[in-house]
Each structure stands twice: as C-alpha cells, then as structure tokens.
Amino acid sequence: MFSTLRGSSRAFSRACSARVAPRIQQQRDIHNTLRGSAVAAANVAVDSVSSYEPFFPKEPTSPSVQTEVPGPKSKVAIAALDEVFDTRSLNMICDYNNSIGNYVSDHDHNLFLDVYAQIASIPLGYNNPALMNVAMSQEMVTTLINRPALGNFPPASWTETLKSGILAVAPKGLNQVFTGMSGSDANECAYKAAFMYHRRRERGEGVEFTEEELSSAMNNAKPGSPDLAIMSFRKGFHGRLFGSLSTTRSKPIHKMDIPSFKWPQARFPQLKYPLEEFAAENAAEEAECLNDVENLIKTWHCPVSAVVVEPIQSEGGDFHASPKFFQGLRDITSKHNVLLIVDEVQTGVGATGKFWAHDHWNLATPPDIVTFSKKAQTAGYYFGNSMLRPTLPYRQFNTWMGDPSRVLLFNTIIKEISRLNLVQHTADTGAYIYNGLEQLSKKYPGEINNLRGKGQGTYIAWDSPQRDAFLKKMKTVGVNIGGCGESAVRLRPMLVFQQHHADILLESIEKVIKG
Amino acid sequence: MFSTLRGSSRAFSRACSARVAPRIQQQRDIHNTLRGSAVAAANVAVDSVSSYEPFFPKEPTSPSVQTEVPGPKSKVAIAALDEVFDTRSLNMICDYNNSIGNYVSDHDHNLFLDVYAQIASIPLGYNNPALMNVAMSQEMVTTLINRPALGNFPPASWTETLKSGILAVAPKGLNQVFTGMSGSDANECAYKAAFMYHRRRERGEGVEFTEEELSSAMNNAKPGSPDLAIMSFRKGFHGRLFGSLSTTRSKPIHKMDIPSFKWPQARFPQLKYPLEEFAAENAAEEAECLNDVENLIKTWHCPVSAVVVEPIQSEGGDFHASPKFFQGLRDITSKHNVLLIVDEVQTGVGATGKFWAHDHWNLATPPDIVTFSKKAQTAGYYFGNSMLRPTLPYRQFNTWMGDPSRVLLFNTIIKEISRLNLVQHTADTGAYIYNGLEQLSKKYPGEINNLRGKGQGTYIAWDSPQRDAFLKKMKTVGVNIGGCGESAVRLRPMLVFQQHHADILLESIEKVIKG
C-alpha cells in the first residue's frame, strides 16, 4: 500500500493541479485565499462540482462490506485490546494502511465511506500524499526526535513556522497564538488568559501582586485565587478537563461524579426548522437567549470573565444560531467588559464553507480569543489584544506548549487547502448534499427531521427517529457516520469529500430509510 | 548534519553493542531488564564507568561558547519571534540540527553541555540515531498522517504497541493504561478516575445514577457533581490546567488569578542534610507530615478521594523523602480508602537509577495510579484495579486520547534503555556526580548547600547562595543547567550522560564558584 500511495502522490498532484491551476494563481497569498475564498470564488469561473476529477484517483468507487460488522478478525482484536485498554467506546478496529482518501478500512478489510472522519478531525483524507511527503521530510524527523520545551528553547524556525502556517490563517484581527496539545487544553489556557486579563484590568496597570494575594493563591483562596467565572451555553461542549468540563453541558455522562466550578450556563437558541417558516419565532428565541446572557452576567454570584461559545454546538446536537445572535453576543460581551471566546475546535478549518465558522457572522469587532484543534491536528488559541499576554513570564506556560511536529502537519494542511481551494469546494459540496437531503426529507416524512446546516458547508445534521439504529445500519451499507446529542445524525466528511461521494452517501441513507 | 548522523547511527550501534553485549543478553525480557536492573547489575561484572566508550562518538569533546549569550543571531531571532509569541520565558533559541547527544546548540552555534534537557524531557540525546530510524519508518509516517480517535477507531496494532512498549515497563502491579497528551492531562484524567471510583464505591456496585444526579451534574451542582478533593503536598507540582493547578503548590506565579478547587495540601517533609547527621530529626519530621496527611483526610470539609505525590518534588525545589515516609503514606491512604496517585511525570523513565522512582520504596502494595510524561515523550496513567475503569463507556474519553506517533517514540526509547542498560548506567553516573559534588561542597563551604539525591541516579540538586546568577554564569562556561524552587540548582541530564560529561560539568561548576 505504501509504495502504491507514493506512486499516487504524483497522480494526486497531477489531477489536482490540472483541475485547479486555471482557478487559483499558484502564488496567491494563502491568507487572502483562505479567508476570502468566497470572494475569490465569485471572481472566477467555478466549475460545477460534477466536473471534478477525483482527489484520490486510486480510491475505491464504492464501499465494500464483506463480513458482518465487526467481522471475525476484528472480534479477536477487540478482545485482545480489551485486556489492557477500555474498548467499550470502540467503534471499529481500523486498518489505516488499507485506508485511502474518504474510505476507512476495518481490520477485516471492509471499506467504509467515512463521513465521521475520526470525530471530525481528519481534513485531507487517509494517507494523503502531501501529508506523507511532509511526514517523510528531514524537517519532520528532526522535529519529532528533538522535542523542544517551546517556551524556553524554541528553534529559530519557530517564527517562520508560525507565520507561514498557523498565523497565516489566523482569524481576522487576531495576530498571536499560544500553541497547545488538544481542544480541552486550548480552551483551558484561553480561560486562564481571560482570568489573568480580568484581574489585570481590576488591579490596574503596573500594580504588583500584594503579599496577601501571593500567599492566598498558594492556599487556593481569595484574593489570590479569586471567584471568577466562564459562562457557557446549555448543550455546549468545550472539553473534559476540570475547567473545560465545568463549561461543558452536553451530556451527564461527561460530567457525572466530577467536581466542578460553579459557573453559569445561558440558554442557547433552540431554532425551529425549516428556518423560513419560523423566522419570527426564532428571532424571538434568540433575543430571549441574549437576555439570558446579559442577566446572568449582571446577577451571577461572581464576575463573569469570559463567555465561551461554539459557532455550531456540535457534541450537544448540532444546534445553530444566526449571525444576528452572535453579533448580539459580541455587543453584550463588549458592553460588560466580558471576553468572547469562540471555540472553533470542531467547526474550524473549512468544514462550514468558511475557514473559520465565525467568518459567517460579519462581526464589527473580532472575538477576543479563538481556539482550535481537531482538523488542525494540533491545538491552541489565537488572540490579538497584546494585554492578553500575561503581565509576567511563566504565568501561561508548560513544558511542551504544543507539538511542533503536529504544527508542521497543520501547515501542510493549510497549503493544501489553499492549493485545492478546499474551503469553497466544501461550500459547494455541502450545498449539493443539503439539497439531496432536503429532497429525501420530503420523500420520507418523519425520517429526516429538523434538517440543518444550509449554507454551512458540509456541517449538516438532522434528527432521526431511531438514531442509534440508523447509525448502525449505515455501517452495514458501507458508511461510517456519527451522531451527536440525543437524536441527531451529524455529517463530518473531510474537505476532500466530493459529489460522487455525496451520491453514495445519499443513496445509502435512502437505502437504510427504506429498510 | 543529517547524513552525518545517519552515518553515526552505525557507529552508535557498534560502539554500544561492543560495550554492552557481554553484559546483557540480547533477548533478555525488557520488563525484567528494566524493572530489575539493579539486581541484574549485581549478578554481572559491571565495568567501571570510566571504561565506557562514548554513546555518541561524534559528540564534541567539550562545550564551545564563541559569542556572548545570547549572541547576535539569537537576538535578532528573539525579536522576530516576540512579535507573534511570548518570549519572556525564553532561555535560548536552539539549532536542533546542530545539536547532538548531550550537546545543545544555540542559534549562534554555541554548543552547551545540556544537563537541563528540555526541562527533563529528552531521554536519549539530541538526534539519537535509534529515534531517527523509527521517525523515518513507514509505521511512523502512517501513524502521523492518519491520526486516530483512539477510543473509537484504534488500529489493530494498538494492542501490541501497548504491550511491547508502554505496558512492558508498567510499574509492578499495574497492567492497564490510559494514554494522554501531557503531564497535566495525565494527572487530571487520573483525578477523574479517582473521583468516579470514589462515587462507585459509595453508590454500590450496579446501582444506576439517579435522576437527581443526572440533572444536577448538568448544573455543576451536588449530588451529580459532588464536593470531593484531591490532596497534594506543599511545594508539589502537578500541572497547570484547572484541576492539576489546584494541586500544584510550587509557586504563586503558577496560580495567581486562577480560580481553584478548595482542596487540601499536607506538609511535605523538609529534610536536613547531610541525612546521616539528622536521622532522628528527619524521622520525626516525616512522622509529623504523615500525621498531617491523616488529620486532613479525617477533617477536610469534603471527602478526599486521592492523594497525589511526586517521588521527588521537582519544580518545587527537589525535595526528597525516605522510602519509610512513602510506605507510611501508602498505609494511611489504604487505611482510609483513599487512592494513592504517584506523579512520575518528571521522575519516571530512569533518571533516578530505577525505571520508576517509586521502585526505590519497596511498597507492600503498589500505588493505585502512576502518571507519566516528559522523558516518555507521550503521557498517560497506569492502573491495575479493574474497578478504576469507569462503570460506563465515554466517561473517560476524548477525541485523540494521546498520540500514537509519540507512543512509537516511547517504545523505541524503552528498547534503547534496555539494550544499553541505561537505568543502571544512570545510577552509576549519578553516584560519580554526587561524589564529585560532595567534594566540591567541602572545598567551597557555603556554595553547595543541602546537597541531595544520593543514590537517586542523576536526580541531584543543591541550594546555591546566588542561584540565578550561578545558572547564568554556567552558560558562559558552556553548560545549560536549570533551577527549581527558590534557591535550588537541579541536575536533569539525559540517560546517555557519561563520566566524561560529568567531569566537564564538575569542572565548570568549580570554575563558576571560583569566579
């Protein structure tokens, strides 16, 4: 498989550049390409999606399920793994050597069209040749085996690595980054930055810590360790470490038996679908939720330092809100000197048809902090206000502060997204899928409910009357698909998902619905 | 440099196997070799350290500092980096391509003997050929570019990867692992496991969550989100995320302005040196600290689910306690049904002359949980009691659950440690260094105070009257060395540190002391 893929690297490049060259100038600035992809697309002739050549010429043309799932080899492997590692959340044992592009292989060599993509974290397909090239590079080898403590001993190349990659796609208005390990880690570091900023403003610039603050902090007591809060939203998900878990409100199973901070949760809009039919009700719902936010800021037992929000609540059930809601949230937080942290861990890096989902909002002033992980294959938070750098060194610090080898992968992902115009591609593919699902929802009333994600790329979901059974049956017809919340089916295909994959997906859904 | 190093890979292997072959059977079981290295060493003729050939034949023979530090190129690079990344904690800009073995290069090509090793996290030297080989392997490439959500979609090889590596060196009595991303992450996941276990025992086996628990957990309220505590020790360090930071008590700068859980801290023994002279006082001090632990368990405002302790308090100032203290701690925690979590993030993987520092304690029953990171280049926690697997799937879970590419590196590190008998080597080298420092401390009274770490491999520290100035001057003579706590100099050389390096280190220390 390995040599086959190396061979296909050239095919991949040829196929892609033949297709893309007329549409994108090779030298176009990555930043503008990615952030302005919708604008760019409007200025050029966009081929219809159907004319696309496959990104992975050697991908199978359809799924192939030859055994029961899990198959006999997988069953043996699961039993062996369970002796040393909890397998109760296991979905399938994979064979990554046998996976390619949008197809994931299980241990019995069944091949599934993958619209779950490692919980929305694979951007460019399995065994992507461009990623393979960077993984085989001398730079990657050196970076892997000489892991630096980045805050103390960065390599000289770190500046250029950040500027040419992570920071080239920084959300508008944010020009600095703190690198981390995972989405939870990124969010918690962002919360810490917000708390330090809060106290900095209260304390006044240049005012040193008091003896009382220093000694009380060591005792986990006020005033050094103050009562301050991060507000989140009902059904929000922001991670599972102690601070992030206190803001996570998706399911009890995540939170049960774990001590938490007494932080507030506001209502998140519960919109009714189709949106066109419920415009007035939905607007009222959003206004009420914004009132809830403002009331909680004013009345909570301790000051709220920041509000954290997902552009689309993902683990909680794929709940959307309108740009107007988020504009209102920005206004309220600004008015009350509360930071706005946008958690783009799942929504970021192209899947919504914009590089960052909050690009859909057209905010007058940017969020204060934006966190990222998953499709970035690394993690961290962006910020712009230099006051969010803490007053002293070592206040925001840890041994590794991220993993530069993963950052090299993200930088290649960014270049490939730009080269292949994958953000616009995903917007187009998403529109095609949404249209197909809308037709199915009419054809099979009650089977595809509350279809949502129109105009949000492939970030599409719906409620299914028998969700868990539906997900399981989809596997028998060769599609690996995930759920979220209590009844939602969520699509999280990769950015290299194309119309011919969408056709297979839609046919498979119909097949399962028909039973 | 790259091709030079590839060439030196063969030299490295030849040099090492020529030296080691008579002492270690090639096929010796890794587990026994590593865990029983002291015993193994006693049964064979150990060459004196001085006869060792260099592990890195192409290493420089001495440091080389040609510019002021930081030099002109470094200064330009620091200014450029500071525009996008906080550089106030920066120690030096490194050139990892120009670093080799125990020598780290800065951006001006000054070469420093490195006894800090990326905050104690590099085990086998810069550009180690064995790590280079695995980093260039097909398995690494596939693993890097197809990052799995391990809890859902592990590869079939995951079982063997765990068994042949991470679990082959599992602490005695612990046969399962939860893999994570960093030391903080590992500790917090261990705390979560302890809280779930605590409530499982209280609730009774097979008893389901009540409606009240489920709904209150979503509100961050009792009983679903209970008041339970992790006890730590004064001067302990366990990380910087919200749960781990609540157990960290090393310095106010880590904790200031961050909300915390109201968890207890017990006194950690403050031993007097030399130990032989203060045996009775130190025994009394340890007994008092154990009393403090037991009193806090009995009287804290909420139940204590676990005690977390470092075998040697590292960031806090390199504070040691005797095996008897830790045996007492095991007894008290067992008696009160409190879990004992041993944080081996910094002490683990060989530096103390045992693979795990707590191997020095000869406990009758093992710790309940042991966490690891740093020299492992990955992270996680070990456990043995199957009841520490939560009652339901998805209670201990996250998207990535570690990074298999880093696990491959750890497995190679484990094999190299075994092949080269590096744990015993480190015990020997440490004894040599300790002896040299003891002589210096007598020769220069008041300069090397409270020398500690005898019999603890290279995990050696002392208090310096002008610590920060001392660290800085060491750089001018070509040694990169770190501090901890308020006045301690700590040695954290790699496991490939040899007697000829120790001689340079001791000479450099004397040079700086003489001024």
Side-chain angles (χ1 to χ4, degrees):
Chain A
M1 185 56 154
F2 212 74
S3 59
T4 312
L5 286 166
R6 280 215 228 194
S8 78
S9 172
R10 285 186 296 276
F12 183 89
S13 305
R14 268 203 308 279
C16 298
S17 43
R19 183 167 52 73
V20 174
R23 295 203 284 131
I24 310 182
Q25 302 164 44
Q26 197 79 13
Q27 299 306 319
R28 182 180 293 165
D29 175 62
I30 289 176
H31 188 251
N32 289 336
T33 307
L34 293 172
R35 292 205 26 81
S37 59
V39 181
N43 291 333
V44 293
V46 178
D47 300 321
S48 79
V49 177
S50 61
S51 73
Y52 280 179
E53 293 177 37
F55 286 115
F56 289 83
K58 300 203 175 184
E59 253 187 346
T61 51
S62 64
S64 156
V65 181
Q66 304 294 335
T67 73
E68 58 175 351
V69 180
K73 280 184 68 184
S74 294
K75 282 181 181 164
V76 172
I78 293 167
L81 180 58
D82 192 65
E83 286 176 24
V84 293
F85 200 77
D86 189 350
T87 60
R88 291 170 301 168
S89 59
L90 190 138
N91 185 312
M92 65 167 100
I93 296 262
C94 291
D95 183 338
Y96 292 106
N97 286 310
N98 195 47
S99 302
I100 181 169
N102 295 277
Y103 285 86
V104 66
S105 171
D106 74 5
H107 192 42
D108 292 270
H109 281 202
N110 297 308
L111 273 168
F112 301 91
L113 183 67
D114 192 0
V115 294
Y116 195 27
Q118 308 297 325
I119 319 180
S121 71
I122 297 281
L124 299 184
Y126 295 106
N127 288 303
N128 178 288
L131 295 184
M132 191 173 290
N133 281 340
V134 71
M136 293 191 298
S137 69
Q138 291 194 3
E139 188 179 12
M140 179 63 82
V141 171
T142 302
T143 303
L144 268 175
I145 68 178
N146 302 302
R147 186 173 193 168
L150 275 172
N152 283 166
F153 302 97
S157 57
W158 188 232
T159 309
E160 187 53 29
T161 301
L162 293 176
K163 282 187 171 177
S164 67
I166 286 188
L167 284 170
V169 293
K172 191 178 163 187
L174 312 186
N175 62 359
Q176 296 185 56
V177 69
F178 184 84
T179 48
M181 302 291 290
S182 66
S184 286
D185 181 38
N187 283 333
E188 297 218 351
C189 289
Y191 299 173
K192 287 177 67 176
F195 289 132
M196 289 188 255
Y197 177 75
H198 184 115
R199 291 289 297 128
R200 180 179 192 164
R201 282 196 299 101
E202 284 185 342
R203 193 177 278 125
E205 208 51 35
V207 177
E208 295 195 356
F209 304 139
T210 66
E211 276 307 314
E212 189 192 3
E213 284 179 312
L214 292 166
S215 59
S216 58
M218 296 303 284
N219 290 321
N220 292 352
K222 292 185 274 193
S225 176
D227 276 345
L228 297 172
I230 305 290
M231 183 192 295
S232 57
F233 288 91
R234 284 189 204 168
K235 297 288 180 190
F237 182 92
H238 305 286
R240 296 162 180 269
L241 300 167
F242 283 85
S244 49
L245 189 61
S246 295
T247 57
T248 283
R249 313 281 186 159
S250 43
K251 288 180 184 168
I253 198 75
H254 303 143
K255 295 170 73 72
M256 183 60 65
D257 297 342
I258 311 299
S260 56
F261 291 106
K262 306 313 168 200
W263 293 347
Q265 61 176 332
R267 285 184 52 212
F268 191 83
Q270 295 292 294
L271 302 186
K272 293 186 178 171
Y273 293 87
L275 294 176
E276 313 79 82
E277 285 181 27
F278 297 96
E281 275 176 87
N282 288 338
E285 167 74 358
E286 292 194 336
E288 273 184 43
C289 291
L290 288 175
N291 276 339
D292 196 30
V293 170
E294 188 156 25
N295 285 336
L296 283 166
I297 288 174
K298 287 181 185 167
T299 62
W300 195 249
H301 70 85
C302 66
V304 173
S305 299
V307 171
V308 62
V309 69
E310 296 158 277
I312 300 164
Q313 289 190 320
S314 304
E315 299 305 308
D318 264 36
F319 297 118
H320 296 247
S322 74
K324 197 174 168 209
F325 171 77
F326 291 105
Q327 290 158 10
L329 187 60
R330 173 70 285 188
D331 291 344
I332 289 169
T333 49
S334 296
K335 176 179 160 192
H336 292 282
N337 273 323
V338 169
L339 297 185
L340 178 60
I341 301 173
V342 177
D343 177 343
E344 292 250 23
V345 166
Q346 189 157 166
T347 52
V349 191
T352 68
K354 303 272 190 187
F355 197 89
W356 301 109
H358 77 269
D359 288 339
H360 287 282
W361 304 343
N362 295 313
L363 293 183
T365 54
D368 299 286
I369 296 178
V370 173
T371 61
F372 62 95
S373 185
K374 287 205 183 248
K375 283 193 182 62
Q377 295 282 297
T378 181
Y381 69 85
Y382 293 108
F383 62 106
N385 181 351
S386 62
M387 299 276 282
L388 280 168
R389 276 195 194 181
T391 48
L392 293 167
Y394 286 103
R395 301 191 68 190
Q396 187 78 295
F397 184 86
N398 57 64
T399 298
W400 286 326
M401 292 179 34
D403 184 338
S405 61
R406 292 287 171 193
V407 172
L408 288 182
L409 284 170
F410 186 27
N411 285 7
T412 304
I413 290 163
I414 289 166
K415 288 191 182 82
E416 286 297 289
I417 291 174
S418 169
R419 187 175 72 84
L420 301 171
N421 207 14
L422 290 178
V423 178
Q424 184 58 45
H425 164 79
T426 297
D428 297 341
T429 310
Y432 182 83
I433 298 171
Y434 188 91
N435 185 46
L437 286 167
E438 202 168 36
Q439 290 175 32
L440 284 179
S441 73
K442 286 172 188 161
K443 191 166 170 189
Y444 301 99
E447 295 291 339
I448 295 178
N449 304 317
N450 303 316
L451 180 64
R452 47 203 188 266
K454 188 174 186 175
Q456 300 287 318
T458 55
Y459 221 94
I460 296 167
W462 65 92
D463 294 314
S464 169
Q466 294 194 300
R467 193 267 312 270
D468 292 346
F470 175 84
L471 300 179
K472 209 167 171 182
K473 282 181 199 160
M474 284 295 283
K475 201 156 272 151
T476 66
V477 299
V479 178
N480 183 41
I481 188 169
C484 58
E486 286 167 21
S487 57
V489 178
R490 59 172 154 173
L491 298 187
R492 293 294 184 274
M494 307 162 190
L495 306 180
V496 291
F497 197 77
Q498 297 179 277
Q499 185 181 331
H500 59 275
H501 303 117
D503 289 334
I504 294 169
L505 171 66
L506 293 166
E507 284 159 20
S508 302
I509 291 170
E510 184 164 14
K511 201 185 290 180
V512 166
I513 288 176
K514 281 162 75 178
Chain B
M1 186 56 153
F2 213 74
S3 59
T4 312
L5 285 166
R6 278 216 229 194
S8 78
S9 170
R10 285 187 295 277
F12 183 89
S13 305
R14 267 203 309 279
C16 297
S17 43
R19 182 168 51 74
V20 174
R23 295 202 284 130
I24 310 182
Q25 301 163 46
Q26 198 79 12
Q27 299 307 318
R28 183 179 292 165
D29 175 62
I30 289 177
H31 187 251
N32 290 335
T33 308
L34 293 172
R35 291 204 28 81
S37 59
V39 180
N43 291 333
V44 293
V46 178
D47 300 322
S48 79
V49 177
S50 61
S51 73
Y52 280 179
E53 294 177 38
F55 286 115
F56 288 83
K58 300 203 176 184
E59 251 187 347
T61 52
S62 65
S64 156
V65 180
Q66 303 295 335
T67 72
E68 59 175 350
V69 179
K73 280 184 68 185
S74 294
K75 282 182 182 163
V76 172
I78 294 167
L81 180 57
D82 192 64
E83 286 176 25
V84 292
F85 199 76
D86 190 350
T87 61
R88 290 170 302 168
S89 60
L90 190 138
N91 185 312
M92 66 167 99
I93 296 263
C94 291
D95 183 338
Y96 291 106
N97 286 310
N98 195 47
S99 302
I100 181 169
N102 294 277
Y103 285 86
V104 65
S105 170
D106 75 4
H107 192 41
D108 292 270
H109 280 202
N110 297 308
L111 273 168
F112 302 91
L113 183 67
D114 192 0
V115 293
Y116 196 27
Q118 308 298 323
I119 319 180
S121 71
I122 297 281
L124 300 182
Y126 295 105
N127 288 303
N128 178 288
L131 295 185
M132 192 173 290
N133 281 340
V134 70
M136 294 191 297
S137 69
Q138 291 194 2
E139 189 179 11
M140 179 64 81
V141 171
T142 301
T143 304
L144 269 175
I145 68 177
N146 301 302
R147 186 172 194 168
L150 276 172
N152 283 166
F153 302 97
S157 57
W158 188 233
T159 309
E160 188 53 29
T161 301
L162 293 176
K163 283 187 169 178
S164 68
I166 285 187
L167 284 170
V169 293
K172 192 177 163 186
L174 312 186
N175 62 359
Q176 296 185 56
V177 68
F178 184 85
T179 48
M181 301 292 291
S182 66
S184 286
D185 181 37
N187 283 333
E188 298 217 350
C189 289
Y191 299 173
K192 287 176 67 175
F195 289 131
M196 288 188 256
Y197 177 75
H198 185 115
R199 290 289 297 128
R200 180 179 191 163
R201 281 196 301 102
E202 285 185 341
R203 195 177 277 124
E205 208 52 35
V207 177
E208 294 196 355
F209 304 139
T210 65
E211 277 307 314
E212 189 191 4
E213 284 180 311
L214 293 166
S215 58
S216 58
M218 296 303 284
N219 290 322
N220 293 352
K222 291 184 273 194
S225 175
D227 275 345
L228 297 172
I230 305 291
M231 183 192 296
S232 57
F233 288 91
R234 283 189 204 168
K235 297 289 179 189
F237 182 92
H238 304 285
R240 297 162 180 268
L241 299 168
F242 283 85
S244 49
L245 189 62
S246 295
T247 56
T248 283
R249 312 282 187 159
S250 43
K251 288 180 184 168
I253 198 74
H254 302 143
K255 295 171 71 72
M256 183 60 66
D257 297 343
I258 311 299
S260 55
F261 291 106
K262 306 313 168 200
W263 293 348
Q265 60 176 332
R267 284 184 53 211
F268 192 81
Q270 295 291 294
L271 303 186
K272 293 186 176 169
Y273 294 87
L275 293 176
E276 314 78 83
E277 285 180 27
F278 296 96
E281 274 175 88
N282 288 338
E285 166 75 358
E286 292 194 337
E288 272 185 44
C289 291
L290 288 175
N291 276 338
D292 196 30
V293 170
E294 189 156 23
N295 285 335
L296 283 167
I297 289 174
K298 287 181 186 167
T299 62
W300 194 248
H301 69 84
C302 67
V304 173
S305 299
V307 171
V308 63
V309 69
E310 297 158 276
I312 300 164
Q313 289 191 320
S314 304
E315 299 305 309
D318 264 35
F319 297 119
H320 296 247
S322 74
K324 198 173 168 209
F325 171 78
F326 291 105
Q327 290 158 10
L329 187 61
R330 174 70 285 188
D331 290 344
I332 290 168
T333 49
S334 294
K335 176 179 160 193
H336 292 282
N337 273 323
V338 169
L339 297 185
L340 178 60
I341 301 173
V342 178
D343 176 343
E344 292 250 24
V345 166
Q346 188 157 167
T347 52
V349 191
T352 68
K354 302 272 188 186
F355 197 90
W356 301 109
H358 76 270
D359 288 339
H360 287 282
W361 304 343
N362 297 313
L363 293 183
T365 54
D368 299 287
I369 296 178
V370 173
T371 60
F372 62 96
S373 185
K374 287 203 182 253
K375 282 192 183 62
Q377 295 282 298
T378 181
Y381 69 85
Y382 293 108
F383 63 106
N385 181 350
S386 62
M387 299 277 282
L388 280 168
R389 277 195 192 180
T391 47
L392 293 168
Y394 287 103
R395 300 190 68 189
Q396 188 78 294
F397 184 86
N398 58 64
T399 298
W400 286 326
M401 292 180 33
D403 184 338
S405 62
R406 292 285 170 193
V407 172
L408 287 183
L409 285 169
F410 186 28
N411 285 8
T412 303
I413 290 163
I414 289 166
K415 288 191 180 80
E416 286 298 289
I417 290 174
S418 168
R419 186 174 72 85
L420 301 171
N421 208 15
L422 291 178
V423 177
Q424 183 58 44
H425 165 79
T426 298
D428 296 341
T429 310
Y432 183 83
I433 298 171
Y434 188 91
N435 185 47
L437 286 166
E438 202 168 35
Q439 290 176 32
L440 285 178
S441 73
K442 286 172 188 160
K443 191 168 170 187
Y444 301 98
E447 295 292 339
I448 294 179
N449 304 317
N450 303 316
L451 180 64
R452 48 202 187 266
K454 187 174 187 174
Q456 300 288 317
T458 55
Y459 220 94
I460 296 168
W462 64 92
D463 294 314
S464 170
Q466 294 194 298
R467 192 269 311 270
D468 292 347
F470 175 85
L471 299 180
K472 209 166 170 182
K473 282 181 197 159
M474 285 295 282
K475 203 158 269 152
T476 66
V477 299
V479 178
N480 183 41
I481 189 169
C484 58
E486 285 168 19
S487 57
V489 178
R490 60 172 154 173
L491 298 188
R492 293 295 184 275
M494 306 163 189
L495 306 179
V496 291
F497 197 77
Q498 297 179 278
Q499 185 182 331
H500 58 276
H501 303 115
D503 290 334
I504 295 170
L505 172 66
L506 293 166
E507 285 160 20
S508 302
I509 291 170
E510 183 163 15
K511 201 185 291 179
V512 166
I513 287 177
K514 282 162 74 178

